[in-house]
Amino acid sequence: MMTTARPFIRGAGLACVLLLGLTACGSSGGGASDGGASPDDVRAALAEGGEITVWAWEPTLEQVVEDFEAEYPNVKVNLVNAGVNTTEYTALQNAISAGSGVPDVVHIEYYALSQFAISDSLTDLTSMGAADLEGAYAPRPWAAVHQGEGIHGLPMDFGPIALYYNQDVFDEHGIEVPTTWQEYVEAGRALHEADPDVYIGADTGDAPLSTSMIWQAGGRPYTVEGTEVTVDFTDAGSTAFAETWQQLVDDDLLAPITAWSDEWYQGLNDGSIATLVMGAWMPPNLESGVPDGAGSWRVAPAPQWEEGANASAEMGGSSLAIPSASDNKELAYAFLDYALAGDGVQTRVDAGAFPAATAILDSEEFLATEFAYFGGQRANEIFAESAANIREDWSWLPYQAYANSIFNDTVGQAYVSHTTFAEGLAAWQAESIEYGGQQGFDVRD
Amino acid sequence: MTTLSISPRHRAPSRAYHRRRRWAGPAFIGPFMAVFALVFLAPIGYSIYLSLYRDQLIGGTSFVGLDNYQRALEDAAFWSSVSRVGLFLAIQVPIMLFIALLVALALDSGRLYGKDFCRIAIFLPYAVPAVVAALMWGFMYGPRFGLVGSINDTLGTSLPNPLSPDWVLAAIGNIVTWEFVGYNMLIFYSALRVIPHSLYEAAELDGAGEWRVITAIKLPAIRGALVIATMFSIIGSFQLFNEPSILRSLAPNAINSDFTPNLLTYSLSFAGQQHNYAATVAIVMGVLTMIVAYVVQLRGMRKER
């Protein structure tokens, strides 16, 4: 027993020491650099060549990488799909903590950008040439990549909201396409009465949808000033959302089907879900997931909270950023510039992406694109108009990913119990405040 | 010269023998110990280390001693998830083990027609990965387009929605029972097969009926297997994760991020980046599971004597 116990303890001790050592050096790994490179350095790096690793799940980047490598034969780009959104953020966080395996370029959604920027994990791109790109992007995504003084990524795409609806279903029951949210509720009632199997929409509680609605209604629940944060879901915009959705849920006008599930696609295909509120990135998803709807679906501006208004908001959207721990920032920036400001943008648009670059958003060719799926409709005109009308001053929490993960624990209860939306939002607020406090923020309501 | 040359040669094997003897044992268990330390002890040690710190988005990492443990013991979300798996355990495990026992006894009775087919058919669900099983059942549970919806449509019934908050725990219990009846059946069945036939002959001579044979011979003989199966099931219940996490995408409001202790740990560490607190919850849960399993084992073994 003695002889076995000794090496066993020694082995365990050694393993622990090794692991502790890893984490100890990990904590000093992040936040080393503050950029410092100039556009000249970027050009020099491009001429010299080298190798960079890109973590992204955006499918249109594959072609961009091929084209980039063809144009700069000295450069090798390893495009890695390290998982979609939170999966990738977890991997990135782990790599940053471990101090190794950090990619040179990483795909980050706007709502999650501040979480990395606030801990100095991302390179400030201002001096590398990003400062000259002011005006190259729609205002909202351009604001989204700013954190304090710095520019922490370049905008890849964004999602001005629109109403997608099934024209055939509306025609069948003689119902007009709603232009305000009150009309939306009434249309829902009329549809459901005409055919109990048909719902105006499907929703079981979705944080991105709800925050988008509050944003469009003029609500500003989050304010962020450095590490001072307030969370307040009692303003007029949030209340308008809560009251309208309360009517929709109380009268069973929304199909209790979770977005992106098999049942959801079936409902969209067979016409029992008549509308969707989604970002401008939705068309490729409809084409692949709802093939039976080809020719039936159309796009309209999102319903308004006030009659005659033209307010819009965003849902989704993402950027490419350069982690501070990257060893090859100049080359990484050259790739960002090519993919998001240079020739790569058109490549991505041709593959179906909705870009953030104004050169494309304003171009006649882009606006005139006819979508066969939408019966030849020029959907980009509606998306572009929505993009121009996005309400300003919206902020995300610096820990939005966590807040979204507890949305169904709180607001979601309004869909399945006697909890009201107002109570659900209050619970969401309370839990978001508590978490922020634990993470060292100065949070108030 | 010759004597000198002999003696070392004589002593050498003896020294080598001693050296071998001293190292033979550790050399045999060494590889196991190395792997055991690396994949079992090191992660536990690392978790304990993690649980003593707190890593904040603002302020970085700091040593907090046992603060995380105190927080876990006072955390209502944690205890509600523990009581949920407790309830699950109290209802699902007896049902599952009873069915498994019934099937094992039926197979063992030798009166079942198509015995081999039954055995394979009942065991088969265990071969389906838990994730696939949950996906499959999740589809069947669908209240609108799934099997439940179809039954309601065709027969005009109004079966409750298995994915509603009131029913979802039972729906998960059903999946777990489906998955593990065959596994437990096999444990019981193999225990039944090793009972000496002479006991049955003796019982027959004494005029014991089938029921008496079951209660007086079969059940006492497989008590060890029953205890083992119960312990596995307790541990499994406390570790409940796959089924709720898959169904969560279909019923996000019925299955919260703290539905079971494992789901809570997962949410804390991957959505909330609270690795330290997640490690603490995992350790507290591990200790709780050990205590419950140990108590059950003690009780089971005491009865055996």
PDB file of all heavy atoms in Angstrom, chain A residues 4 23 90 93 204 258 263 270 402 408-409 412-413 435 438-439, chain B residues 29 33 46 56-58 144-145 249-250 253 256-257 270 272-274:
ATOM      1  N   THR A   4       2.590   1.857  -3.350  1.00  0.00           N
ATOM      2  CA  THR A   4       1.732   2.360  -4.410  1.00  0.00           C
ATOM      3  C   THR A   4       1.314   3.796  -4.112  1.00  0.00           C
ATOM      4  O   THR A   4       1.165   4.587  -5.015  1.00  0.00           O
ATOM      5  CB  THR A   4       0.463   1.507  -4.575  1.00  0.00           C
ATOM      6  OG1 THR A   4      -0.241   1.525  -3.351  1.00  0.00           O
ATOM      7  CG2 THR A   4       0.771   0.113  -4.995  1.00  0.00           C
ATOM      8  N   THR A  23      -2.417  27.655 -16.041  1.00  0.00           N
ATOM      9  CA  THR A  23      -3.369  28.734 -15.798  1.00  0.00           C
ATOM     10  C   THR A  23      -2.660  29.983 -15.321  1.00  0.00           C
ATOM     11  O   THR A  23      -3.057  31.082 -15.631  1.00  0.00           O
ATOM     12  CB  THR A  23      -4.422  28.330 -14.764  1.00  0.00           C
ATOM     13  OG1 THR A  23      -3.733  27.874 -13.616  1.00  0.00           O
ATOM     14  CG2 THR A  23      -5.347  27.272 -15.284  1.00  0.00           C
ATOM     15  N   THR A  90     -16.731  30.735 -26.390  1.00  0.00           N
ATOM     16  CA  THR A  90     -16.168  29.930 -25.309  1.00  0.00           C
ATOM     17  C   THR A  90     -14.766  29.469 -25.678  1.00  0.00           C
ATOM     18  O   THR A  90     -13.833  29.568 -24.876  1.00  0.00           O
ATOM     19  CB  THR A  90     -17.056  28.709 -25.047  1.00  0.00           C
ATOM     20  OG1 THR A  90     -18.389  29.161 -24.825  1.00  0.00           O
ATOM     21  CG2 THR A  90     -16.590  27.931 -23.841  1.00  0.00           C
ATOM     22  N   GLN A  93     -12.443  32.413 -25.521  1.00  0.00           N
ATOM     23  CA  GLN A  93     -12.158  32.773 -24.140  1.00  0.00           C
ATOM     24  C   GLN A  93     -11.136  31.807 -23.538  1.00  0.00           C
ATOM     25  O   GLN A  93     -10.193  32.226 -22.882  1.00  0.00           O
ATOM     26  CB  GLN A  93     -13.463  32.734 -23.328  1.00  0.00           C
ATOM     27  CG  GLN A  93     -13.369  33.407 -21.979  1.00  0.00           C
ATOM     28  CD  GLN A  93     -13.180  34.901 -22.126  1.00  0.00           C
ATOM     29  OE1 GLN A  93     -13.983  35.584 -22.743  1.00  0.00           O
ATOM     30  NE2 GLN A  93     -12.094  35.426 -21.581  1.00  0.00           N
ATOM     31  N   THR A 204     -41.796  31.458 -28.920  1.00  0.00           N
ATOM     32  CA  THR A 204     -41.847  30.920 -27.556  1.00  0.00           C
ATOM     33  C   THR A 204     -40.876  31.682 -26.663  1.00  0.00           C
ATOM     34  O   THR A 204     -40.430  31.160 -25.647  1.00  0.00           O
ATOM     35  CB  THR A 204     -41.487  29.421 -27.519  1.00  0.00           C
ATOM     36  OG1 THR A 204     -40.193  29.268 -28.107  1.00  0.00           O
ATOM     37  CG2 THR A 204     -42.495  28.583 -28.272  1.00  0.00           C
ATOM     38  N   THR A 258     -40.931  26.916 -31.244  1.00  0.00           N
ATOM     39  CA  THR A 258     -39.649  27.597 -31.094  1.00  0.00           C
ATOM     40  C   THR A 258     -38.964  27.771 -32.446  1.00  0.00           C
ATOM     41  O   THR A 258     -38.918  26.827 -33.237  1.00  0.00           O
ATOM     42  CB  THR A 258     -38.749  26.795 -30.141  1.00  0.00           C
ATOM     43  OG1 THR A 258     -39.475  26.567 -28.931  1.00  0.00           O
ATOM     44  CG2 THR A 258     -37.480  27.542 -29.819  1.00  0.00           C
ATOM     45  N   GLU A 263     -40.422  21.675 -36.202  1.00  0.00           N
ATOM     46  CA  GLU A 263     -41.838  22.058 -36.266  1.00  0.00           C
ATOM     47  C   GLU A 263     -42.006  23.444 -36.880  1.00  0.00           C
ATOM     48  O   GLU A 263     -42.970  23.716 -37.580  1.00  0.00           O
ATOM     49  CB  GLU A 263     -42.441  22.070 -34.857  1.00  0.00           C
ATOM     50  CG  GLU A 263     -42.798  20.709 -34.326  1.00  0.00           C
ATOM     51  CD  GLU A 263     -43.899  20.819 -33.296  1.00  0.00           C
ATOM     52  OE1 GLU A 263     -43.711  21.569 -32.333  1.00  0.00           O
ATOM     53  OE2 GLU A 263     -44.945  20.162 -33.464  1.00  0.00           O
ATOM     54  N   ASP A 270     -45.970  24.779 -44.555  1.00  0.00           N
ATOM     55  CA  ASP A 270     -47.369  24.453 -44.860  1.00  0.00           C
ATOM     56  C   ASP A 270     -48.305  25.650 -44.658  1.00  0.00           C
ATOM     57  O   ASP A 270     -49.522  25.505 -44.745  1.00  0.00           O
ATOM     58  CB  ASP A 270     -47.837  23.221 -44.071  1.00  0.00           C
ATOM     59  CG  ASP A 270     -48.041  23.511 -42.594  1.00  0.00           C
ATOM     60  OD1 ASP A 270     -47.939  24.682 -42.191  1.00  0.00           O
ATOM     61  OD2 ASP A 270     -48.305  22.554 -41.846  1.00  0.00           O
ATOM     62  N   TYR A 402     -24.710  36.363 -21.667  1.00  0.00           N
ATOM     63  CA  TYR A 402     -25.279  35.749 -20.467  1.00  0.00           C
ATOM     64  C   TYR A 402     -26.736  36.171 -20.284  1.00  0.00           C
ATOM     65  O   TYR A 402     -27.607  35.354 -20.025  1.00  0.00           O
ATOM     66  CB  TYR A 402     -24.474  36.109 -19.214  1.00  0.00           C
ATOM     67  CG  TYR A 402     -25.132  35.557 -17.977  1.00  0.00           C
ATOM     68  CD1 TYR A 402     -25.007  34.211 -17.674  1.00  0.00           C
ATOM     69  CD2 TYR A 402     -25.924  36.357 -17.152  1.00  0.00           C
ATOM     70  CE1 TYR A 402     -25.651  33.672 -16.579  1.00  0.00           C
ATOM     71  CE2 TYR A 402     -26.575  35.828 -16.052  1.00  0.00           C
ATOM     72  CZ  TYR A 402     -26.427  34.486 -15.773  1.00  0.00           C
ATOM     73  OH  TYR A 402     -27.074  33.947 -14.695  1.00  0.00           O
ATOM     74  N   ASN A 408     -35.263  33.018 -21.281  1.00  0.00           N
ATOM     75  CA  ASN A 408     -36.396  32.098 -21.166  1.00  0.00           C
ATOM     76  C   ASN A 408     -36.718  31.723 -19.722  1.00  0.00           C
ATOM     77  O   ASN A 408     -37.846  31.354 -19.411  1.00  0.00           O
ATOM     78  CB  ASN A 408     -36.155  30.843 -22.004  1.00  0.00           C
ATOM     79  CG  ASN A 408     -36.261  31.161 -23.489  1.00  0.00           C
ATOM     80  OD1 ASN A 408     -35.278  31.448 -24.143  1.00  0.00           O
ATOM     81  ND2 ASN A 408     -37.488  31.166 -23.998  1.00  0.00           N
ATOM     82  N   ASP A 409     -35.731  31.849 -18.837  1.00  0.00           N
ATOM     83  CA  ASP A 409     -35.995  31.603 -17.414  1.00  0.00           C
ATOM     84  C   ASP A 409     -36.898  32.691 -16.839  1.00  0.00           C
ATOM     85  O   ASP A 409     -37.573  32.479 -15.842  1.00  0.00           O
ATOM     86  CB  ASP A 409     -34.690  31.614 -16.602  1.00  0.00           C
ATOM     87  CG  ASP A 409     -33.722  30.542 -17.046  1.00  0.00           C
ATOM     88  OD1 ASP A 409     -34.066  29.793 -17.976  1.00  0.00           O
ATOM     89  OD2 ASP A 409     -32.632  30.454 -16.470  1.00  0.00           O
ATOM     90  N   GLY A 412     -39.487  34.428 -20.652  1.00  0.00           N
ATOM     91  CA  GLY A 412     -40.080  33.252 -21.291  1.00  0.00           C
ATOM     92  C   GLY A 412     -41.254  32.682 -20.509  1.00  0.00           C
ATOM     93  O   GLY A 412     -42.156  32.062 -21.077  1.00  0.00           O
ATOM     94  N   GLN A 413     -41.251  32.885 -19.191  1.00  0.00           N
ATOM     95  CA  GLN A 413     -42.335  32.335 -18.365  1.00  0.00           C
ATOM     96  C   GLN A 413     -43.685  32.946 -18.732  1.00  0.00           C
ATOM     97  O   GLN A 413     -44.735  32.340 -18.494  1.00  0.00           O
ATOM     98  CB  GLN A 413     -42.036  32.547 -16.876  1.00  0.00           C
ATOM     99  CG  GLN A 413     -40.775  31.827 -16.411  1.00  0.00           C
ATOM    100  CD  GLN A 413     -40.757  30.375 -16.834  1.00  0.00           C
ATOM    101  OE1 GLN A 413     -41.665  29.605 -16.522  1.00  0.00           O
ATOM    102  NE2 GLN A 413     -39.739  29.981 -17.601  1.00  0.00           N
ATOM    103  N   TYR A 435     -26.098  39.588 -11.926  1.00  0.00           N
ATOM    104  CA  TYR A 435     -24.929  39.015 -12.592  1.00  0.00           C
ATOM    105  C   TYR A 435     -23.859  40.077 -12.832  1.00  0.00           C
ATOM    106  O   TYR A 435     -22.672  39.846 -12.612  1.00  0.00           O
ATOM    107  CB  TYR A 435     -25.344  38.362 -13.911  1.00  0.00           C
ATOM    108  CG  TYR A 435     -24.191  37.797 -14.695  1.00  0.00           C
ATOM    109  CD1 TYR A 435     -23.683  36.543 -14.401  1.00  0.00           C
ATOM    110  CD2 TYR A 435     -23.596  38.524 -15.723  1.00  0.00           C
ATOM    111  CE1 TYR A 435     -22.615  36.014 -15.104  1.00  0.00           C
ATOM    112  CE2 TYR A 435     -22.528  38.015 -16.430  1.00  0.00           C
ATOM    113  CZ  TYR A 435     -22.038  36.752 -16.125  1.00  0.00           C
ATOM    114  OH  TYR A 435     -20.981  36.244 -16.823  1.00  0.00           O
ATOM    115  N   GLN A 438     -21.891  40.714  -9.817  1.00  0.00           N
ATOM    116  CA  GLN A 438     -20.928  39.640  -9.543  1.00  0.00           C
ATOM    117  C   GLN A 438     -19.709  39.743 -10.446  1.00  0.00           C
ATOM    118  O   GLN A 438     -18.632  39.268 -10.088  1.00  0.00           O
ATOM    119  CB  GLN A 438     -21.594  38.271  -9.783  1.00  0.00           C
ATOM    120  CG  GLN A 438     -22.571  37.877  -8.701  1.00  0.00           C
ATOM    121  CD  GLN A 438     -23.486  36.755  -9.155  1.00  0.00           C
ATOM    122  OE1 GLN A 438     -23.366  36.245 -10.272  1.00  0.00           O
ATOM    123  NE2 GLN A 438     -24.404  36.359  -8.306  1.00  0.00           N
ATOM    124  N   GLN A 439     -19.894  40.324 -11.644  1.00  0.00           N
ATOM    125  CA  GLN A 439     -18.787  40.415 -12.583  1.00  0.00           C
ATOM    126  C   GLN A 439     -17.999  41.713 -12.418  1.00  0.00           C
ATOM    127  O   GLN A 439     -17.150  42.028 -13.244  1.00  0.00           O
ATOM    128  CB  GLN A 439     -19.303  40.289 -14.022  1.00  0.00           C
ATOM    129  CG  GLN A 439     -19.857  38.918 -14.348  1.00  0.00           C
ATOM    130  CD  GLN A 439     -18.790  37.836 -14.294  1.00  0.00           C
ATOM    131  OE1 GLN A 439     -17.626  38.084 -14.542  1.00  0.00           O
ATOM    132  NE2 GLN A 439     -19.191  36.623 -13.955  1.00  0.00           N
TER     133      GLN A 439
ATOM    134  N   ILE B  29       1.230  -1.450 -12.023  1.00  0.00           N
ATOM    135  CA  ILE B  29       0.103  -0.520 -11.840  1.00  0.00           C
ATOM    136  C   ILE B  29       0.451   0.891 -12.289  1.00  0.00           C
ATOM    137  O   ILE B  29      -0.429   1.737 -12.389  1.00  0.00           O
ATOM    138  CB  ILE B  29      -0.391  -0.501 -10.367  1.00  0.00           C
ATOM    139  CG1 ILE B  29       0.742  -0.057  -9.456  1.00  0.00           C
ATOM    140  CG2 ILE B  29      -0.972  -1.830  -9.955  1.00  0.00           C
ATOM    141  CD1 ILE B  29       0.214   0.485  -8.156  1.00  0.00           C
ATOM    142  N   MET B  33      -1.954   3.994 -12.930  1.00  0.00           N
ATOM    143  CA  MET B  33      -1.925   5.130 -12.009  1.00  0.00           C
ATOM    144  C   MET B  33      -1.692   6.440 -12.755  1.00  0.00           C
ATOM    145  O   MET B  33      -2.286   7.468 -12.427  1.00  0.00           O
ATOM    146  CB  MET B  33      -0.816   4.926 -10.962  1.00  0.00           C
ATOM    147  CG  MET B  33      -1.240   4.033  -9.817  1.00  0.00           C
ATOM    148  SD  MET B  33      -2.698   4.723  -9.006  1.00  0.00           S
ATOM    149  CE  MET B  33      -3.197   3.383  -7.995  1.00  0.00           C
ATOM    150  N   TYR B  46      -7.962  20.097 -10.138  1.00  0.00           N
ATOM    151  CA  TYR B  46      -8.054  21.374 -10.839  1.00  0.00           C
ATOM    152  C   TYR B  46      -9.385  22.066 -10.530  1.00  0.00           C
ATOM    153  O   TYR B  46      -9.435  23.281 -10.337  1.00  0.00           O
ATOM    154  CB  TYR B  46      -7.895  21.139 -12.344  1.00  0.00           C
ATOM    155  CG  TYR B  46      -7.852  22.402 -13.157  1.00  0.00           C
ATOM    156  CD1 TYR B  46      -7.014  23.452 -12.804  1.00  0.00           C
ATOM    157  CD2 TYR B  46      -8.650  22.547 -14.283  1.00  0.00           C
ATOM    158  CE1 TYR B  46      -6.963  24.609 -13.545  1.00  0.00           C
ATOM    159  CE2 TYR B  46      -8.611  23.706 -15.036  1.00  0.00           C
ATOM    160  CZ  TYR B  46      -7.761  24.735 -14.662  1.00  0.00           C
ATOM    161  OH  TYR B  46      -7.727  25.881 -15.396  1.00  0.00           O
ATOM    162  N   GLN B  56     -13.646  37.653 -12.624  1.00  0.00           N
ATOM    163  CA  GLN B  56     -14.668  38.612 -13.031  1.00  0.00           C
ATOM    164  C   GLN B  56     -14.289  39.278 -14.337  1.00  0.00           C
ATOM    165  O   GLN B  56     -13.113  39.427 -14.649  1.00  0.00           O
ATOM    166  CB  GLN B  56     -14.807  39.691 -11.951  1.00  0.00           C
ATOM    167  CG  GLN B  56     -15.302  39.145 -10.636  1.00  0.00           C
ATOM    168  CD  GLN B  56     -15.490  40.251  -9.627  1.00  0.00           C
ATOM    169  OE1 GLN B  56     -14.759  41.229  -9.616  1.00  0.00           O
ATOM    170  NE2 GLN B  56     -16.490  40.099  -8.775  1.00  0.00           N
ATOM    171  N   LEU B  57     -15.307  39.696 -15.101  1.00  0.00           N
ATOM    172  CA  LEU B  57     -15.045  40.439 -16.329  1.00  0.00           C
ATOM    173  C   LEU B  57     -14.289  41.719 -16.002  1.00  0.00           C
ATOM    174  O   LEU B  57     -13.405  42.142 -16.720  1.00  0.00           O
ATOM    175  CB  LEU B  57     -16.365  40.781 -17.027  1.00  0.00           C
ATOM    176  CG  LEU B  57     -17.005  39.650 -17.821  1.00  0.00           C
ATOM    177  CD1 LEU B  57     -18.406  40.029 -18.257  1.00  0.00           C
ATOM    178  CD2 LEU B  57     -16.162  39.311 -19.030  1.00  0.00           C
ATOM    179  N   ILE B  58     -14.688  42.348 -14.894  1.00  0.00           N
ATOM    180  CA  ILE B  58     -13.990  43.537 -14.411  1.00  0.00           C
ATOM    181  C   ILE B  58     -13.271  43.150 -13.132  1.00  0.00           C
ATOM    182  O   ILE B  58     -13.912  42.719 -12.177  1.00  0.00           O
ATOM    183  CB  ILE B  58     -14.988  44.669 -14.077  1.00  0.00           C
ATOM    184  CG1 ILE B  58     -15.839  45.012 -15.286  1.00  0.00           C
ATOM    185  CG2 ILE B  58     -14.260  45.887 -13.537  1.00  0.00           C
ATOM    186  CD1 ILE B  58     -15.075  45.622 -16.418  1.00  0.00           C
ATOM    187  N   ARG B 144     -47.939  19.959 -32.169  1.00  0.00           N
ATOM    188  CA  ARG B 144     -48.625  20.397 -33.376  1.00  0.00           C
ATOM    189  C   ARG B 144     -48.348  19.481 -34.563  1.00  0.00           C
ATOM    190  O   ARG B 144     -49.264  19.035 -35.232  1.00  0.00           O
ATOM    191  CB  ARG B 144     -48.239  21.830 -33.718  1.00  0.00           C
ATOM    192  CG  ARG B 144     -48.897  22.837 -32.788  1.00  0.00           C
ATOM    193  CD  ARG B 144     -48.757  24.251 -33.285  1.00  0.00           C
ATOM    194  NE  ARG B 144     -49.037  24.384 -34.707  1.00  0.00           N
ATOM    195  CZ  ARG B 144     -50.265  24.387 -35.235  1.00  0.00           C
ATOM    196  NH1 ARG B 144     -51.310  24.267 -34.466  1.00  0.00           N
ATOM    197  NH2 ARG B 144     -50.437  24.509 -36.524  1.00  0.00           N
ATOM    198  N   PHE B 145     -47.075  19.192 -34.804  1.00  0.00           N
ATOM    199  CA  PHE B 145     -46.755  18.394 -35.979  1.00  0.00           C
ATOM    200  C   PHE B 145     -46.193  17.035 -35.600  1.00  0.00           C
ATOM    201  O   PHE B 145     -45.992  16.183 -36.443  1.00  0.00           O
ATOM    202  CB  PHE B 145     -45.763  19.137 -36.868  1.00  0.00           C
ATOM    203  CG  PHE B 145     -46.326  20.416 -37.397  1.00  0.00           C
ATOM    204  CD1 PHE B 145     -46.013  21.625 -36.812  1.00  0.00           C
ATOM    205  CD2 PHE B 145     -47.201  20.395 -38.479  1.00  0.00           C
ATOM    206  CE1 PHE B 145     -46.548  22.800 -37.293  1.00  0.00           C
ATOM    207  CE2 PHE B 145     -47.731  21.575 -38.958  1.00  0.00           C
ATOM    208  CZ  PHE B 145     -47.413  22.782 -38.372  1.00  0.00           C
ATOM    209  N   SER B 249     -34.208  23.017 -26.505  1.00  0.00           N
ATOM    210  CA  SER B 249     -34.354  23.788 -27.737  1.00  0.00           C
ATOM    211  C   SER B 249     -35.802  23.756 -28.229  1.00  0.00           C
ATOM    212  O   SER B 249     -36.210  24.616 -28.997  1.00  0.00           O
ATOM    213  CB  SER B 249     -33.413  23.263 -28.807  1.00  0.00           C
ATOM    214  OG  SER B 249     -33.729  21.922 -29.100  1.00  0.00           O
ATOM    215  N   LEU B 250     -36.581  22.761 -27.789  1.00  0.00           N
ATOM    216  CA  LEU B 250     -37.990  22.690 -28.191  1.00  0.00           C
ATOM    217  C   LEU B 250     -38.899  23.335 -27.151  1.00  0.00           C
ATOM    218  O   LEU B 250     -39.977  23.824 -27.473  1.00  0.00           O
ATOM    219  CB  LEU B 250     -38.421  21.230 -28.373  1.00  0.00           C
ATOM    220  CG  LEU B 250     -37.651  20.433 -29.413  1.00  0.00           C
ATOM    221  CD1 LEU B 250     -38.072  18.976 -29.375  1.00  0.00           C
ATOM    222  CD2 LEU B 250     -37.885  21.015 -30.787  1.00  0.00           C
ATOM    223  N   ASN B 253     -39.018  27.434 -22.410  1.00  0.00           N
ATOM    224  CA  ASN B 253     -39.614  28.036 -21.213  1.00  0.00           C
ATOM    225  C   ASN B 253     -39.926  27.006 -20.142  1.00  0.00           C
ATOM    226  O   ASN B 253     -40.097  27.348 -18.982  1.00  0.00           O
ATOM    227  CB  ASN B 253     -40.885  28.792 -21.588  1.00  0.00           C
ATOM    228  CG  ASN B 253     -40.607  29.845 -22.625  1.00  0.00           C
ATOM    229  OD1 ASN B 253     -39.628  30.563 -22.523  1.00  0.00           O
ATOM    230  ND2 ASN B 253     -41.454  29.908 -23.644  1.00  0.00           N
ATOM    231  N   ASN B 256     -35.604  25.345 -17.800  1.00  0.00           N
ATOM    232  CA  ASN B 256     -34.793  26.529 -17.548  1.00  0.00           C
ATOM    233  C   ASN B 256     -33.309  26.196 -17.590  1.00  0.00           C
ATOM    234  O   ASN B 256     -32.928  25.029 -17.593  1.00  0.00           O
ATOM    235  CB  ASN B 256     -35.142  27.125 -16.187  1.00  0.00           C
ATOM    236  CG  ASN B 256     -36.491  27.805 -16.210  1.00  0.00           C
ATOM    237  OD1 ASN B 256     -37.047  28.045 -17.273  1.00  0.00           O
ATOM    238  ND2 ASN B 256     -37.011  28.109 -15.040  1.00  0.00           N
ATOM    239  N   SER B 257     -32.507  27.244 -17.564  1.00  0.00           N
ATOM    240  CA  SER B 257     -31.062  27.018 -17.608  1.00  0.00           C
ATOM    241  C   SER B 257     -30.570  26.338 -16.331  1.00  0.00           C
ATOM    242  O   SER B 257     -29.460  25.854 -16.278  1.00  0.00           O
ATOM    243  CB  SER B 257     -30.327  28.340 -17.817  1.00  0.00           C
ATOM    244  OG  SER B 257     -30.636  29.218 -16.757  1.00  0.00           O
ATOM    245  N   PHE B 270     -20.650  28.075 -19.589  1.00  0.00           N
ATOM    246  CA  PHE B 270     -20.567  28.427 -21.008  1.00  0.00           C
ATOM    247  C   PHE B 270     -21.334  29.679 -21.391  1.00  0.00           C
ATOM    248  O   PHE B 270     -20.954  30.358 -22.329  1.00  0.00           O
ATOM    249  CB  PHE B 270     -20.969  27.246 -21.874  1.00  0.00           C
ATOM    250  CG  PHE B 270     -19.989  26.129 -21.778  1.00  0.00           C
ATOM    251  CD1 PHE B 270     -20.343  24.916 -21.231  1.00  0.00           C
ATOM    252  CD2 PHE B 270     -18.682  26.321 -22.168  1.00  0.00           C
ATOM    253  CE1 PHE B 270     -19.409  23.898 -21.101  1.00  0.00           C
ATOM    254  CE2 PHE B 270     -17.745  25.318 -22.037  1.00  0.00           C
ATOM    255  CZ  PHE B 270     -18.108  24.098 -21.503  1.00  0.00           C
ATOM    256  N   GLY B 272     -22.352  32.005 -18.867  1.00  0.00           N
ATOM    257  CA  GLY B 272     -22.042  33.046 -17.902  1.00  0.00           C
ATOM    258  C   GLY B 272     -20.566  33.236 -17.620  1.00  0.00           C
ATOM    259  O   GLY B 272     -20.189  34.135 -16.894  1.00  0.00           O
ATOM    260  N   GLN B 273     -19.722  32.382 -18.202  1.00  0.00           N
ATOM    261  CA  GLN B 273     -18.278  32.449 -17.961  1.00  0.00           C
ATOM    262  C   GLN B 273     -17.947  32.431 -16.478  1.00  0.00           C
ATOM    263  O   GLN B 273     -16.975  33.047 -16.049  1.00  0.00           O
ATOM    264  CB  GLN B 273     -17.681  33.685 -18.622  1.00  0.00           C
ATOM    265  CG  GLN B 273     -17.870  33.654 -20.111  1.00  0.00           C
ATOM    266  CD  GLN B 273     -17.042  34.687 -20.817  1.00  0.00           C
ATOM    267  OE1 GLN B 273     -16.568  35.628 -20.198  1.00  0.00           O
ATOM    268  NE2 GLN B 273     -16.856  34.521 -22.103  1.00  0.00           N
ATOM    269  N   GLN B 274     -18.780  31.745 -15.696  1.00  0.00           N
ATOM    270  CA  GLN B 274     -18.491  31.641 -14.264  1.00  0.00           C
ATOM    271  C   GLN B 274     -17.880  30.269 -14.000  1.00  0.00           C
ATOM    272  O   GLN B 274     -18.474  29.431 -13.332  1.00  0.00           O
ATOM    273  CB  GLN B 274     -19.774  31.832 -13.461  1.00  0.00           C
ATOM    274  CG  GLN B 274     -20.332  33.247 -13.568  1.00  0.00           C
ATOM    275  CD  GLN B 274     -21.664  33.384 -12.877  1.00  0.00           C
ATOM    276  OE1 GLN B 274     -22.661  32.833 -13.317  1.00  0.00           O
ATOM    277  NE2 GLN B 274     -21.701  34.116 -11.794  1.00  0.00           N
TER     278      GLN B 274
END
